[in-house]
Amino acid sequence: MASGVKMTKDSMDSLRKSIEALSKKRVLVGIPSEESTRVNNDGSVSPINNAALGYIQEHGSPANNIPARPFLVPGVQGSRETTDSMLGKAGAKMLVGDESGCDMELDKAGLTAASSVKKKMSGGPFQKLADSTLAARARRGVTRTTPLVDTANLQAHITYVKRTK
């Protein structure tokens, strides 16, 4: 018994390739280590880069009496409602063969998540700074008491990258 449906074009191979290409795309938010040089106030290069400093701030360093002040993961999670929609649009564009449209949505998601991380760094809440840290800042003429935002160097290095797996 014939169903009356006639195939005029087989697009399964194209669809399979689109799904495979999409599954290899990644948007990563944070501090890429290759772009994380930290310059001191005197212009010299710090022995610790922003990627390492960000890791220490996110997870803490009990050996150095530095409490964990998670900003990256909570910052990205705080943008999920918006970025999930963008990622869905990216997928839909890729499935119809619009790779540039897909990349544009991935860029939007990356920018949104990075912005959310920076907002988290500025707003916390985080454990307060130690008196010794506040005193060290005061000696340098810094009156800001916000953890994670001393010179804003770390915050300025928060970005996103698109990578292919």
Side-chain angles (χ1 to χ4, degrees), residues 4 6 12 22-23 25 63 93 95 122 127 131 137 152 157:
K6 180 180 175 185
M12 284 304 290
L22 180 62
S23 72
K25 292 184 177 282
K93 288 182 184 276
L95 291 176
S122 294
Q127 184 173 334
D131 290 340
R137 283 186 179 187
H157 281 82

Side-chain angles (χ1 to χ4, degrees), residues 145-163:
T145 61
T146 308
L148 303 181
V149 184
D150 180 0
T151 64
N153 193 310
L154 178 64
Q155 192 175 36
H157 281 82
I158 300 294
T159 189
Y160 76 98
V161 293
K162 292 185 300 188
R163 299 260 166 90

Side-chain angles (χ1 to χ4, degrees), residues 27-90:
V27 177
L28 307 172
V29 178
I31 306 165
S33 62
E34 61 270 12
E35 299 171 17
S36 67
T37 301
R38 187 171 181 80
V39 178
N40 296 319
N41 291 337
D42 64 4
S44 64
V45 175
S46 174
I48 185 168
N49 67 26
N50 280 304
L53 182 60
Y55 182 87
I56 291 167
Q57 293 295 344
E58 181 83 7
H59 299 283
S61 175
N64 293 301
N65 201 27
I66 300 171
R69 292 185 173 103
F71 63 94
L72 182 62
V73 173
V76 170
Q77 288 173 340
S79 71
R80 289 285 307 268
E81 188 174 318
T82 304
T83 57
D84 283 355
S85 172
M86 293 169 180
L87 295 174
K89 288 177 185 175

Side-chain angles (χ1 to χ4, degrees), residues 16-26 87-88 90-92 94-95 102 106:
R16 183 189 56 75
K17 287 178 182 175
S18 290
I19 291 170
E20 185 177 311
L22 180 62
S23 72
K24 292 179 180 179
K25 292 184 177 282
R26 299 283 183 263
L87 295 174
M94 190 69 170
L95 291 176
C102 171
L106 294 177

